[in-house]
Amino acid sequence: MFQSSLSLSLPNADQYLEAQVLHIEQHELKAEKHSDNSYSIRGEYGLLRLSATQKEMNLTVESERDDGLDIMRDFVVDYLTGHMPDLKLSDLVWSGQNLDEEAPANFRTMTVLRCIVLNEGTLRITLAGKDLAIFDEGGLHFRLLLPKSRNREPVWPIRLKSGKVHFPDGDDELHNRVYTARYVRSEQGELDFDVVRHQGGVAADWAENVSEGEVIGVMGPGGGGYLDQSWLLIGGDETALPAISRILENSSPNTQGKVFIETRKPDYQVSLVRPEGVDVVWLSEHDRQLMDSMTNVCLPEHNDFYVWFAGEQTDARQMRKTLKTEWKLKPEQYYCAAYWTKDN
């Protein structure tokens, strides 16, 4: 177990903690209150413990992985500095593990091995790197970091002593895009990810011109994972296809449910490995039926189900609103993510 702690002196710290817990719970995180008036919040990467006296607030992050510790600590720092304008990074003195100023535990450089055309609408890029087994178990997604200028020596993120992960800016700024690891061959040290081809996208344009041997940055894995519920409702467009594919491939053979996938052309449809009880419906992007298809499905009477959606930002916002306010699902019953925006 990896652990790190932080104490902050501030007036009425106990009242401040109560107010912040109420705020956090409005953002789909559940805080458990204990008999000693402390709180614990469990997230994807570990546990955050919170307690306070009248003059001091104490925070402890715990994670089973060192990268999880860095991610949680960075989250805490962002939250504190965002809600306490007078707080300086130099005020944040952590104890515990991973305290040196160095690359974050979830960062690595990888090398482009090859790029192939899957179909007219999709490219597949293979990266080479070390210690990739974690990408099979630690989440579906990763961040692709690309130097804005290919003519400059890359400057990569660094973990500051405050716990903040600092990204370079100015001429050294990095493009930062999230992708799904489609296939991971850890023994060979290879990772595949798919890029939807379209004009004007930073990563899409990069992929069209990528060179073998090019070095890029990767942060991850994280964000979402395999689903073990007995009934699934899944929806998404082409950008979500790699994640949907991995989820179905790793679902129990007894899983049931419905999947709706929207593509620009019928030729972009692929063969999916899936449980026999999961029905897959392919939709045309031009018909705009994805949202209606999802919301017209009747959920099972039992509670062992999960709803998963990923796609364009406007659709994701509308789907999230439906799941929260109309279907009244709990945060642990669904995943809803914007994978892209119409302007990007």
Side-chain angles (χ1 to χ4, degrees):
M1 180 69 69
F2 294 86
Q3 185 180 89
S4 190
S5 298
L6 171 70
S7 295
L8 291 174
S9 298
L10 66 156
N12 302 314
D14 50 351
Q15 297 178 24
Y16 180 82
L17 176 59
E18 293 281 348
Q20 295 309 308
V21 166
L22 290 175
H23 179 267
I24 289 172
E25 289 187 321
Q26 294 175 1
H27 292 78
E28 301 182 0
L29 289 173
K30 183 178 180 181
E32 181 180 356
K33 188 172 185 178
H34 304 288
S35 58
D36 60 355
N37 291 325
S38 67
Y39 293 89
S40 60
I41 301 173
R42 184 168 294 281
E44 178 181 354
Y45 299 101
L47 187 69
L48 170 62
R49 300 184 186 275
L50 303 161
S51 64
T53 63
Q54 189 174 1
K55 297 181 179 181
E56 187 176 70
M57 183 168 63
N58 302 296
L59 307 93
T60 298
V61 291
E62 301 175 356
S63 179
E64 294 183 357
R65 306 197 322 243
D66 58 348
D67 61 329
L69 185 70
D70 279 1
I71 293 169
M72 291 188 65
R73 197 160 40 192
D74 183 55
F75 167 80
V76 169
V77 173
D78 278 347
Y79 184 90
L80 291 175
T81 53
H83 292 80
M84 302 173 68
D86 295 332
L87 187 66
K88 301 176 182 178
L89 290 179
S90 57
D91 297 329
L92 305 177
V93 181
W94 292 86
S95 62
Q97 296 155 299
N98 290 14
L99 301 177
D100 294 334
E101 193 167 287
E102 58 187 11
N106 65 336
F107 173 80
R108 71 195 66 214
T109 57
M110 301 186 72
T111 303
V112 175
L113 277 184
R114 57 186 170 270
C115 176
I116 63 172
V117 177
L118 285 187
N119 55 52
E120 182 187 354
T122 309
L123 299 175
R124 173 163 294 166
I125 294 178
T126 300
L127 302 176
K130 299 178 181 180
D131 303 323
L132 300 184
I134 193 172
F135 285 86
D136 259 336
E137 58 191 39
L140 297 177
H141 305 100
F142 67 91
R143 291 190 176 274
L144 176 69
L145 305 181
L146 304 173
K148 283 195 170 181
S149 174
R150 291 185 173 182
N151 299 322
R152 292 176 63 86
E153 185 72 21
V155 177
W156 302 117
I158 189 170
R159 180 188 64 228
L160 304 177
K161 290 185 177 180
S162 64
K164 171 70 176 175
V165 176
H166 173 72
F167 287 81
D169 51 19
D171 292 338
D172 294 322
E173 188 175 356
L174 301 168
H175 292 300
N176 187 336
R177 297 294 186 269
V178 177
Y179 278 91
T180 301
R182 179 61 187 94
Y183 292 107
V184 181
R185 297 176 293 279
S186 54
E187 292 184 359
Q188 289 87 359
E190 295 182 0
L191 179 151
D192 297 339
F193 71 100
D194 297 345
V195 179
V196 173
R197 304 177 83 174
H198 65 285
Q199 293 183 344
V202 168
D205 290 347
W206 168 82
E208 295 286 354
N209 301 286
V210 69
S211 301
E212 181 180 332
E214 188 168 339
V215 176
I216 53 90
V218 167
M219 294 188 75
Y226 303 138
L227 306 177
D228 58 6
Q229 289 79 5
S230 64
W231 194 93
L232 304 176
L233 173 60
I234 295 176
D237 58 21
E238 290 172 50
T239 63
L241 189 50
I244 293 173
S245 299
R246 282 190 67 185
I247 289 171
L248 294 179
E249 289 167 0
N250 289 277
S251 295
S252 166
N254 298 321
T255 303
Q256 297 183 323
K258 292 186 176 296
V259 177
F260 299 94
I261 305 174
E262 184 180 82
T263 63
R264 292 170 291 174
K265 295 183 178 182
D267 292 346
Y268 297 170
Q269 299 174 12
V270 299
S271 178
L272 295 174
V273 177
R274 68 184 191 275
E276 291 185 4
V278 175
D279 296 325
V280 176
V281 179
W282 294 95
L283 305 170
S284 169
E285 179 184 80
H286 304 290
D287 296 333
R288 298 294 297 163
Q289 295 179 335
L290 178 58
M291 300 293 287
D292 287 343
S293 298
M294 290 278 292
T295 55
N296 286 336
V297 172
C298 293
L299 296 177
E301 295 183 0
H302 60 77
N303 290 322
D304 189 25
F305 67 84
Y306 197 87
V307 180
W308 191 101
F309 180 87
E312 199 277 326
Q313 185 180 67
T314 302
D315 290 342
R317 286 176 175 171
Q318 182 59 47
M319 180 60 67
R320 180 180 293 273
K321 181 179 179 181
T322 298
L323 299 179
K324 290 180 64 176
T325 61
E326 297 181 24
W327 290 14
K328 300 187 183 304
L329 299 187
K330 300 176 182 178
E332 60 269 23
Q333 292 179 303
Y334 69 90
Y335 172 92
C336 190
Y339 274 15
W340 61 284
T341 65
K342 290 180 179 179
D343 296 329
N344 192 7

